[in-house]
Structures are given as structure tokens and as C-alpha cells.
Amino acid sequence: MSRLVEGEWVADADLETDDEGEFQRQEQAFRDRIGPDGDFPVEAGRYHIYISRACPWAHRVAMTRALKGLDDAISLSIVQPERYGEGWEFSDAHPDPLYGADYLRELYVRADPDVTGRPTVPVLWDRETERIVNNESEEIMRMLDVAGHELATRDVDLYPEGYRDEVDRLIDDIYEPINNGVYRAGFAESQGAYDRAVDDLFDALDHYDDLLADQRYLAGDRLTEADLAMFATLVRFDHVYHTHFKCNRRAIHEYDNLWEYTKDLYTTPGIERTVNMDHIVRHYYVSHADLNPKRLVPTGPDIDFTEGHDRDRLPGGPPEALQ
């Protein structure tokens, strides 16, 4: 878990766990906003997003950008899926288009020469001031969805009026046991910490499997930001979290409703192109040498996200602009 400390790169820093072996995710350092209530204006062509196709936090941002049709208004580039001792890096195939940086951490230091923390994705970058606007995925997703709506080419509202309190509640509710829960299990450094994480994770998955028996989406009949946050974990679950993070009590494709829901979201126009399973699998099994010392990459499971689903029987559906 290498990181920047006052702008200097420190390799092999301690894993972020507490005294009981519980994984602790860092607070992000850049929390400015785009929009009328923020410090940055809504302006096409001004902003750039750095992501990894492997990262679930970056994935929710990539899905929001794709669904709303922000490709021309906000540019995007990706880092290599494997992350070694130098952190996220660029390559000849996918270079940094703005500064020719070799590593993402160079952008963090350019934005703040004294920054401390792990350089993470996603990053929302302002070309004009050469600063990081924000590196918190939930906040970037919301900015693209709400503030970015005037730049969007599709009338897709993922935070609709009348649903907002429920969307906020759902995002909060699924974060700790599910989105972060797989990491709490995978990076636990004690049996007790692992057991608590796995119990929380599968209690929550069981709950949402029951909920989705009678409604198409988490908030009811509308696709929302909460579904994107959930999907980013579910689509990775069987290929990496089930085995690599020892979340093997049950696979998502063994759930009656969560599996159909996952396929429904995957086949929603715009989402499939944001999923790169090769990058996902390579990242987890190659990057975490402490969990997988030989860096062997498994070949399964053999599941098909496009095989069809039964969710059309329920009220609601994808936004009309996507149909």
C-alpha cells in the first residue's frame, strides 16, 4: 500500500487496518464541486476524468458519464489495470493525454505538492487551473449526474425528484456491508475482522435479493445512482471477490433475484461498454501480491451477463433516452 507523504512517494507503507485487523478506507483529499454551489463552473471541454476499468469506485463514474452521454463534454483516460509498487501507471497504449505523466501520483503532486495519501481513481481534473476538483467517486458521480445534466446529450436523470432521499439512503446502506464489505473481508488481518465483514456482506446481499423479488431497481421502478453503485460490486463479485477476497459463501449467479438484476443492468444500453472483465480480473489477481503471491490469474467462472433476464415482468425499465 504505497502512498504519497507530503508529496514524496513512500513504498511499502502499512496496510490500512486498525488494531483489530479491520480494513480502514482512507478519506479522500480533494472534495471541491462543479456547479452553482461549488467552486468550479459547468463548462464543456474543461474537465478530464482519470479512471481504471478495474476499479469499482471509478466504474460508477464511468457508467454515469456513459449513460448521460457526456463523452464529448468531459474527456476520459484510463490507467493500466495492474498496480505495482509505483501505483497506478499509464502506458504506451493508454498514455496520459494532458501531461505525459508516467504515474497517476504525478497528477496528485501537480495538484498539491504536499499531498499525503494513496493516489486513487477516479480523479476529476480541471484543465484550466491544473487542479484535482474531486477524487471521491460518489461525489463525482453526483456532479456528472446533476451539475453535468446541462452538458448531457441524453435525458437520463439518475437522481430524480421524488426519489432523492431514498437514493441517498440506499447508497449509504449498501456502502459499508457490500461496496466496502468485500474489501473488509479481503484485506482483513484477523479472523474476527474477516468473519464480521463476511456476515455483514451476506446479510446485506440476502436482504437485497429479497427486496428485488418485487421491484426492478433498488429505489423501485427507476434506474438511479444507487443501482450503479450496487452494480459495480455485483459485476465483479463472482470473478474476483468470491475467490480472491474469500467471499465464497455464495456467488451472485446463485441468487435468484440479484443475478437477474445484474444481467438487467449489464444489458442496459451504455453500461456493457464500461465493463472490462479482463482488466478487472488482471488487476485484482496481479496487483495484490500479498493475497496472491504467485500472481496466477484464474480462468473462470464461465458465466454470461448477456444470456437474458426476467426483469421485464416488473414495473419500470431503463430511461426512455436509452431505449
Side-chain angles (χ1 to χ4, degrees), residues 90-216:
F90 300 98
S91 66
D92 291 340
H94 298 288
D96 169 30
L98 301 186
Y99 305 103
D102 294 319
Y103 300 100
L104 184 68
R105 68 173 191 264
E106 296 172 42
L107 279 299
Y108 274 72
V109 175
R110 179 182 285 269
D112 178 2
D114 297 316
V115 65
T116 292
R118 286 187 298 107
T120 60
V121 287
V123 168
L124 178 60
W125 182 268
D126 176 32
R127 298 168 185 264
E128 184 169 315
T129 63
E130 296 190 315
R131 290 169 53 193
I132 295 175
V133 178
N134 198 294
N135 67 336
E136 169 52 56
S137 64
E138 182 181 333
E139 295 175 3
I140 299 174
M141 177 172 64
R142 180 67 48 80
M143 280 185 274
L144 298 188
D145 187 19
V146 178
H149 194 70
E150 64 186 78
L151 305 178
T153 60
R154 296 193 190 94
D155 185 19
V156 173
D157 184 358
L158 300 168
Y159 192 53
E161 294 286 352
Y163 291 76
R164 291 187 170 186
D165 288 345
E166 180 67 358
V167 171
D168 289 340
R169 184 192 68 78
L170 285 162
I171 290 174
D172 287 344
D173 282 357
I174 67 176
Y175 169 77
E176 190 59 30
I178 296 177
N179 299 146
N180 196 44
V182 292
Y183 287 89
R184 290 171 53 213
F187 292 140
E189 293 196 332
S190 72
Q191 188 67 49
Y194 166 79
D195 289 343
R196 288 189 292 274
V198 169
D199 285 345
D200 290 347
L201 170 63
F202 284 95
D203 284 349
L205 291 176
D206 291 345
H207 166 75
Y208 285 105
D209 188 62
D210 291 341
L211 178 75
L212 290 166
D214 300 315
Q215 59 188 62
R216 188 156 184 175

Side-chain angles (χ1 to χ4, degrees), residues 12-303:
D12 301 321
D14 292 337
L15 188 66
E16 296 161 317
T17 53
D18 64 16
D19 293 340
E20 295 183 353
E22 295 269 6
F23 173 66
Q24 302 293 306
R25 188 170 295 280
Q26 75 172 12
E27 290 289 329
Q28 301 295 19
F30 300 93
R31 306 295 287 273
D32 288 329
R33 304 275 182 156
I34 293 172
D37 298 327
D39 301 308
F40 292 83
V42 178
E43 185 177 314
R46 175 165 176 163
Y47 303 102
H48 185 80
I49 298 173
Y50 292 96
I51 68 164
S52 163
R53 291 292 186 198
C55 172
W57 314 104
H59 192 186
R60 58 176 71 182
V61 170
M63 285 187 283
T64 306
R65 175 178 176 270
L67 291 173
K68 295 187 72 72
L70 289 166
D71 299 50
D72 293 334
I74 303 176
S75 55
L76 177 143
S77 58
I78 64 174
V79 294
Q80 282 291 94
E82 301 90 352
R83 187 181 63 204
Y84 299 108
E86 299 296 322
W88 295 112
E89 60 185 279
F90 300 98
S91 66
D92 291 340
H94 298 288
D96 169 30
L98 301 186
Y99 305 103
D102 294 319
Y103 300 100
L104 184 68
R105 68 173 191 264
E106 296 172 42
L107 279 299
Y108 274 72
V109 175
R110 179 182 285 269
D112 178 2
D114 297 316
V115 65
T116 292
R118 286 187 298 107
T120 60
V121 287
V123 168
L124 178 60
W125 182 268
D126 176 32
R127 298 168 185 264
E128 184 169 315
T129 63
E130 296 190 315
R131 290 169 53 193
I132 295 175
V133 178
N134 198 294
N135 67 336
E136 169 52 56
S137 64
E138 182 181 333
E139 295 175 3
I140 299 174
M141 177 172 64
R142 180 67 48 80
M143 280 185 274
L144 298 188
D145 187 19
V146 178
H149 194 70
E150 64 186 78
L151 305 178
T153 60
R154 296 193 190 94
D155 185 19
V156 173
D157 184 358
L158 300 168
Y159 192 53
E161 294 286 352
Y163 291 76
R164 291 187 170 186
D165 288 345
E166 180 67 358
V167 171
D168 289 340
R169 184 192 68 78
L170 285 162
I171 290 174
D172 287 344
D173 282 357
I174 67 176
Y175 169 77
E176 190 59 30
I178 296 177
N179 299 146
N180 196 44
V182 292
Y183 287 89
R184 290 171 53 213
F187 292 140
E189 293 196 332
S190 72
Q191 188 67 49
Y194 166 79
D195 289 343
R196 288 189 292 274
V198 169
D199 285 345
D200 290 347
L201 170 63
F202 284 95
D203 284 349
L205 291 176
D206 291 345
H207 166 75
Y208 285 105
D209 188 62
D210 291 341
L211 178 75
L212 290 166
D214 300 315
Q215 59 188 62
R216 188 156 184 175
Y217 301 112
L218 294 182
D221 62 349
R222 291 284 296 268
L223 177 72
T224 70
E225 294 174 9
D227 297 295
L228 304 189
M230 176 71 96
F231 177 79
T233 297
L234 296 185
V235 76
R236 289 162 171 75
F237 198 98
D238 290 5
H239 284 82
V240 292
Y241 302 143
H242 179 275
T243 302
H244 186 57
F245 280 175
K246 302 181 181 67
C247 300
N248 61 356
R249 188 175 293 176
R250 195 174 182 185
I252 297 302
H253 74 266
E254 295 172 326
Y255 278 95
D256 291 337
N257 301 308
L258 282 173
W259 176 231
E260 299 300 318
Y261 167 78
T262 301
K263 292 185 292 182
D264 185 9
L265 293 178
Y266 184 92
T267 55
T268 297
I271 288 185
E272 181 178 354
R273 71 181 175 91
T274 69
V275 179
N276 188 319
M277 195 56 69
D278 175 63
H279 278 210
I280 290 168
V281 173
R282 282 164 53 197
H283 167 70
Y284 283 93
Y285 286 98
V286 173
S287 301
H288 302 149
D290 52 337
L291 300 182
N292 186 29
K294 293 186 181 296
R295 293 191 164 101
L296 298 179
V297 179
T299 59
D302 185 13
I303 56 176

